[in-house]
Amino acid sequence: MPQTQERTTTEAVGSTAACAAESSTVHTETGILIVGASQAGVQLAISLRGTGFEESITLLGEEDHRPYQRPALSKEFLQGKVDKENLIFRSAEYWDDHNITLVKNSRVERIEKNSDGSGVAHATDGHQYPFRRVALAVGARARPLEVPGAGLSGVSYLRSADDALDLKGRLDEFTDVVVIGGGFIGLEVACSLHGMGKTTTVLEHGPRLIGRAVGEPTSEYFLNAHRDRGVNIILNSRVESLVDAGNGKVSGVKLEDGTIVPAQLVIVGIGVIPNTGLAEQMGLETDNGIVVDRYALASDGSTIAVGDVANMPNPLPGAPEGERIRLESVNNAIEHAKVAAYSVSGRREEYAGIPWFWSNQADMKLQIAGLSMGFDSTVVRRVEEKGKFTVLYYREGQIIAADCVNAPLDFMAVRAALAKNQQIPAEAAADPDVMLKTLAVDREDTR
Ligand SMILES: Cc1cc2nc3c(=O)[nH]c(=O)nc-3n(C[C@H](O)[C@H](O)[C@H](O)COP(=O)(O)OP(=O)(O)OC[C@H]3O[C@@H](n4cnc5c(N)ncnc54)[C@H](O)[C@@H]3O)c2cc1C
């Protein structure tokens, strides 16, 4: 039978007196407590049921929304093409039917854990959640901008549904927007707002766009493409301060060279910080995320950590031993949660599939297969008249990744080759008229 479902802690508390009573609530012990009810936490709960896990599951998150998908926040949701309901992962009935207790609007501030993996999580509202096993799917938070004026009204971030709802409510209040940060989210937001007729400027601190995730040819492609479409982009920009209109609202961004870029809205997209606070409090090893092994187990051998918060061994077949990575993507959250679900169920299954990522920017659909870290050469394929653009990444002669813009066949070919640990010889791949899938050969054949 289903347990009490979808409890919103503010809803459960009716008065101050009730609040005092509620504050000492100790819940029934759950089989597994999943802290963080977003992409990774949701998938872990679903996959646990898929692997036959029969104990009770509590999925707890601090946001006051039913679990939702983030990617559309910077794209279709901001553009008004989908509404909040379209972003919700599963219906309330789903959680009921699968005996998963969903707790919203509750933040865990401390976890006491025993050596057998059991323990108690303490929430800021006083509720206590005893568990036999715990999983941290706590993700990451937006990196704050630290310059004078960063607290002015009109300065926004885009990590959560609340951020996006707030932003949507302000769309009529501005004509000029500055996006600080030329990464994926910054560029997606810039495209969305430019598409609505806003004068849009992207300020990128580094010498190229999306510098953390793609190589120079892809950065160059997006720089030209965005400028051609009318988005202003300033590279190597140094933000000195945000300008106060005199009423506490932002009116522009001042750069170190004295330039002031007008803006009634400033969106900050300068990366994220993994939420390692709980793990540190628990004494787990952290290093740009929670350090986990191939089975999503943290350093204590029993706590699970999944998704954006986890620093894990590079899962790409053939990756150098000991190389680690923290990925921020939907695909990773899903695949990693599946590994974790097996782990909880006592099975040791390694990460299946090849990491991949997508980003939609205006009419450009970027798909990335594999991980390009450590590449030493690239091959560019371009079919100008069809708007197709692909960069293949090689490391010691072996293909390791591809960035594909409006080139889904290239993406699928590389993803398939990587999954089979195959090679796509660089010289032949340089001809954009040759289908990549016809070039894939087993690695030994290329030696
Ligand atoms: C605007 C935007 C656009 C994106 N677009 C794409 C895209 O196009 N393609 C793609 O692959 N990826 C995209 N991503 C990234 C993707 O959404 C993330 O990789 C994914 O959400 C990670 O899931 P997660 O569950 O690991 O972490 P998160 O989504 O960060 O979720 C963690 C959850 O844990 C909660 N939490 C944290 N601490 C506590 C606590 N102590 N107690 C209770 N709850 C807590 C948080 O509030 C949050 O709800 C985008 C992200 C954003 C923000």
mmCIF file of all heavy atoms in Angstrom, residues 74-94:
data_model
loop_
_atom_site.group_PDB
_atom_site.id
_atom_site.type_symbol
_atom_site.label_atom_id
_atom_site.label_comp_id
_atom_site.label_asym_id
_atom_site.label_seq_id
_atom_site.Cartn_x
_atom_site.Cartn_y
_atom_site.Cartn_z
ATOM 1 N N SER A 74 15.682 27.418 -19.624
ATOM 2 C CA SER A 74 16.404 28.444 -20.387
ATOM 3 C C SER A 74 15.950 28.494 -21.846
ATOM 4 O O SER A 74 16.418 29.343 -22.601
ATOM 5 C CB SER A 74 17.910 28.153 -20.336
ATOM 6 O OG SER A 74 18.153 26.799 -20.673
ATOM 7 N N LYS A 75 15.073 27.557 -22.217
ATOM 8 C CA LYS A 75 14.690 27.451 -23.641
ATOM 9 C C LYS A 75 13.171 27.571 -23.763
ATOM 10 O O LYS A 75 12.629 28.661 -23.637
ATOM 11 C CB LYS A 75 15.185 26.120 -24.217
ATOM 12 C CG LYS A 75 16.632 25.772 -23.840
ATOM 13 C CD LYS A 75 17.013 24.401 -24.369
ATOM 14 C CE LYS A 75 18.376 23.945 -23.875
ATOM 15 N NZ LYS A 75 18.409 23.352 -22.551
ATOM 16 N N GLU A 76 12.483 26.449 -23.979
ATOM 17 C CA GLU A 76 11.046 26.475 -24.300
ATOM 18 C C GLU A 76 10.203 27.131 -23.210
ATOM 19 O O GLU A 76 9.218 27.797 -23.526
ATOM 20 C CB GLU A 76 10.542 25.049 -24.558
ATOM 21 C CG GLU A 76 11.213 24.336 -25.729
ATOM 22 C CD GLU A 76 12.519 23.653 -25.338
ATOM 23 O OE1 GLU A 76 12.980 23.840 -24.189
ATOM 24 O OE2 GLU A 76 13.096 22.948 -26.187
ATOM 25 N N PHE A 77 10.550 26.943 -21.956
ATOM 26 C CA PHE A 77 9.742 27.534 -20.877
ATOM 27 C C PHE A 77 9.878 29.061 -20.886
ATOM 28 O O PHE A 77 8.884 29.788 -20.838
ATOM 29 C CB PHE A 77 10.173 26.963 -19.521
ATOM 30 C CG PHE A 77 9.378 27.500 -18.364
ATOM 31 C CD1 PHE A 77 8.065 27.097 -18.162
ATOM 32 C CD2 PHE A 77 9.936 28.432 -17.488
ATOM 33 C CE1 PHE A 77 7.318 27.612 -17.097
ATOM 34 C CE2 PHE A 77 9.198 28.942 -16.420
ATOM 35 C CZ PHE A 77 7.897 28.527 -16.231
ATOM 36 N N LEU A 78 11.112 29.519 -20.993
ATOM 37 C CA LEU A 78 11.347 30.967 -21.038
ATOM 38 C C LEU A 78 10.687 31.581 -22.270
ATOM 39 O O LEU A 78 10.143 32.683 -22.226
ATOM 40 C CB LEU A 78 12.860 31.221 -21.050
ATOM 41 C CG LEU A 78 13.346 32.637 -20.790
ATOM 42 C CD1 LEU A 78 12.780 33.188 -19.499
ATOM 43 C CD2 LEU A 78 14.875 32.670 -20.748
ATOM 44 N N GLN A 79 10.714 30.842 -23.362
ATOM 45 C CA GLN A 79 10.137 31.335 -24.618
ATOM 46 C C GLN A 79 8.604 31.237 -24.625
ATOM 47 O O GLN A 79 7.963 31.643 -25.587
ATOM 48 C CB GLN A 79 10.695 30.519 -25.800
ATOM 49 C CG GLN A 79 12.186 30.711 -26.035
ATOM 50 C CD GLN A 79 12.806 29.532 -26.804
ATOM 51 O OE1 GLN A 79 12.102 28.697 -27.358
ATOM 52 N NE2 GLN A 79 14.119 29.477 -26.810
ATOM 53 N N GLY A 80 8.029 30.643 -23.600
ATOM 54 C CA GLY A 80 6.566 30.536 -23.516
ATOM 55 C C GLY A 80 5.993 29.395 -24.351
ATOM 56 O O GLY A 80 4.789 29.337 -24.575
ATOM 57 N N LYS A 81 6.852 28.453 -24.772
ATOM 58 C CA LYS A 81 6.349 27.343 -25.604
ATOM 59 C C LYS A 81 5.801 26.188 -24.768
ATOM 60 O O LYS A 81 5.033 25.383 -25.268
ATOM 61 C CB LYS A 81 7.474 26.820 -26.512
ATOM 62 C CG LYS A 81 7.888 27.841 -27.564
ATOM 63 C CD LYS A 81 9.013 27.301 -28.424
ATOM 64 C CE LYS A 81 9.461 28.334 -29.437
ATOM 65 N NZ LYS A 81 10.761 27.998 -30.017
ATOM 66 N N VAL A 82 6.264 26.072 -23.535
ATOM 67 C CA VAL A 82 5.715 25.052 -22.636
ATOM 68 C C VAL A 82 5.469 25.704 -21.274
ATOM 69 O O VAL A 82 6.105 26.713 -20.942
ATOM 70 C CB VAL A 82 6.672 23.837 -22.447
ATOM 71 C CG1 VAL A 82 6.950 23.133 -23.761
ATOM 72 C CG2 VAL A 82 7.972 24.270 -21.784
ATOM 73 N N ASP A 83 4.534 25.155 -20.508
ATOM 74 C CA ASP A 83 4.329 25.717 -19.170
ATOM 75 C C ASP A 83 4.875 24.755 -18.117
ATOM 76 O O ASP A 83 5.388 23.676 -18.433
ATOM 77 C CB ASP A 83 2.858 26.087 -18.926
ATOM 78 C CG ASP A 83 1.955 24.867 -19.022
ATOM 79 O OD1 ASP A 83 2.451 23.745 -18.843
ATOM 80 O OD2 ASP A 83 0.750 25.045 -19.280
ATOM 81 N N LYS A 84 4.756 25.169 -16.869
ATOM 82 C CA LYS A 84 5.399 24.409 -15.780
ATOM 83 C C LYS A 84 4.933 22.954 -15.722
ATOM 84 O O LYS A 84 5.732 22.050 -15.469
ATOM 85 C CB LYS A 84 5.117 25.116 -14.443
ATOM 86 C CG LYS A 84 6.179 24.860 -13.405
ATOM 87 C CD LYS A 84 5.781 25.420 -12.065
ATOM 88 C CE LYS A 84 5.531 24.298 -11.088
ATOM 89 N NZ LYS A 84 4.952 24.734 -9.825
ATOM 90 N N GLU A 85 3.649 22.741 -15.955
ATOM 91 C CA GLU A 85 3.113 21.376 -15.872
ATOM 92 C C GLU A 85 3.827 20.428 -16.840
ATOM 93 O O GLU A 85 3.999 19.254 -16.555
ATOM 94 C CB GLU A 85 1.605 21.367 -16.149
ATOM 95 C CG GLU A 85 0.756 21.702 -14.942
ATOM 96 C CD GLU A 85 1.063 20.812 -13.723
ATOM 97 O OE1 GLU A 85 0.942 19.577 -13.829
ATOM 98 O OE2 GLU A 85 1.438 21.360 -12.667
ATOM 99 N N ASN A 86 4.241 20.968 -18.001
ATOM 100 C CA ASN A 86 4.930 20.125 -18.986
ATOM 101 C C ASN A 86 6.308 19.666 -18.493
ATOM 102 O O ASN A 86 6.899 18.753 -19.064
ATOM 103 C CB ASN A 86 5.146 20.876 -20.306
ATOM 104 C CG ASN A 86 3.839 21.279 -20.948
ATOM 105 O OD1 ASN A 86 3.532 22.463 -21.055
ATOM 106 N ND2 ASN A 86 3.043 20.308 -21.339
ATOM 107 N N LEU A 87 6.814 20.332 -17.475
ATOM 108 C CA LEU A 87 8.171 20.011 -17.007
ATOM 109 C C LEU A 87 8.176 18.956 -15.899
ATOM 110 O O LEU A 87 9.228 18.443 -15.532
ATOM 111 C CB LEU A 87 8.870 21.271 -16.490
ATOM 112 C CG LEU A 87 8.873 22.488 -17.420
ATOM 113 C CD1 LEU A 87 9.710 23.601 -16.807
ATOM 114 C CD2 LEU A 87 9.419 22.116 -18.792
ATOM 115 N N ILE A 88 7.000 18.682 -15.355
ATOM 116 C CA ILE A 88 6.918 17.759 -14.214
ATOM 117 C C ILE A 88 7.273 16.338 -14.671
ATOM 118 O O ILE A 88 6.778 15.860 -15.693
ATOM 119 C CB ILE A 88 5.487 17.771 -13.619
ATOM 120 C CG1 ILE A 88 5.103 19.185 -13.175
ATOM 121 C CG2 ILE A 88 5.355 16.766 -12.469
ATOM 122 C CD1 ILE A 88 5.941 19.778 -12.088
ATOM 123 N N PHE A 89 8.144 15.672 -13.888
ATOM 124 C CA PHE A 89 8.606 14.337 -14.290
ATOM 125 C C PHE A 89 7.494 13.289 -14.293
ATOM 126 O O PHE A 89 7.317 12.565 -15.257
ATOM 127 C CB PHE A 89 9.687 13.835 -13.316
ATOM 128 C CG PHE A 89 11.047 14.388 -13.577
ATOM 129 C CD1 PHE A 89 11.628 15.281 -12.694
ATOM 130 C CD2 PHE A 89 11.759 13.992 -14.694
ATOM 131 C CE1 PHE A 89 12.897 15.781 -12.927
ATOM 132 C CE2 PHE A 89 13.028 14.494 -14.937
ATOM 133 C CZ PHE A 89 13.589 15.386 -14.047
ATOM 134 N N ARG A 90 6.807 13.171 -13.154
ATOM 135 C CA ARG A 90 5.831 12.091 -13.000
ATOM 136 C C ARG A 90 4.603 12.626 -12.277
ATOM 137 O O ARG A 90 4.702 13.549 -11.473
ATOM 138 C CB ARG A 90 6.423 10.941 -12.165
ATOM 139 C CG ARG A 90 7.650 10.295 -12.781
ATOM 140 C CD ARG A 90 7.260 9.353 -13.906
ATOM 141 N NE ARG A 90 8.443 8.950 -14.647
ATOM 142 C CZ ARG A 90 8.645 7.725 -15.112
ATOM 143 N NH1 ARG A 90 7.734 6.780 -14.933
ATOM 144 N NH2 ARG A 90 9.744 7.443 -15.789
ATOM 145 N N SER A 91 3.486 11.985 -12.529
ATOM 146 C CA SER A 91 2.245 12.385 -11.859
ATOM 147 C C SER A 91 2.302 11.980 -10.387
ATOM 148 O O SER A 91 3.089 11.108 -9.998
ATOM 149 C CB SER A 91 1.067 11.685 -12.524
ATOM 150 O OG SER A 91 1.184 10.294 -12.295
ATOM 151 N N ALA A 92 1.431 12.593 -9.591
ATOM 152 C CA ALA A 92 1.348 12.224 -8.166
ATOM 153 C C ALA A 92 1.006 10.738 -8.043
ATOM 154 O O ALA A 92 1.493 10.046 -7.141
ATOM 155 C CB ALA A 92 0.295 13.080 -7.473
ATOM 156 N N GLU A 93 0.195 10.233 -8.977
ATOM 157 C CA GLU A 93 -0.216 8.815 -8.932
ATOM 158 C C GLU A 93 0.999 7.903 -9.078
ATOM 159 O O GLU A 93 1.055 6.827 -8.494
ATOM 160 C CB GLU A 93 -1.213 8.468 -10.054
ATOM 161 C CG GLU A 93 -2.574 9.150 -9.941
ATOM 162 C CD GLU A 93 -2.504 10.623 -10.290
ATOM 163 O OE1 GLU A 93 -1.847 10.965 -11.300
ATOM 164 O OE2 GLU A 93 -3.072 11.438 -9.545
ATOM 165 N N TYR A 94 1.941 8.325 -9.903
ATOM 166 C CA TYR A 94 3.125 7.479 -10.106
ATOM 167 C C TYR A 94 3.798 7.189 -8.763
ATOM 168 O O TYR A 94 4.139 6.050 -8.453
ATOM 169 C CB TYR A 94 4.125 8.136 -11.065
ATOM 170 C CG TYR A 94 5.389 7.313 -11.200
ATOM 171 C CD1 TYR A 94 5.476 6.291 -12.143
ATOM 172 C CD2 TYR A 94 6.474 7.508 -10.336
ATOM 173 C CE1 TYR A 94 6.606 5.491 -12.221
ATOM 174 C CE2 TYR A 94 7.610 6.716 -10.408
ATOM 175 C CZ TYR A 94 7.665 5.708 -11.351
ATOM 176 O OH TYR A 94 8.777 4.923 -11.415
#
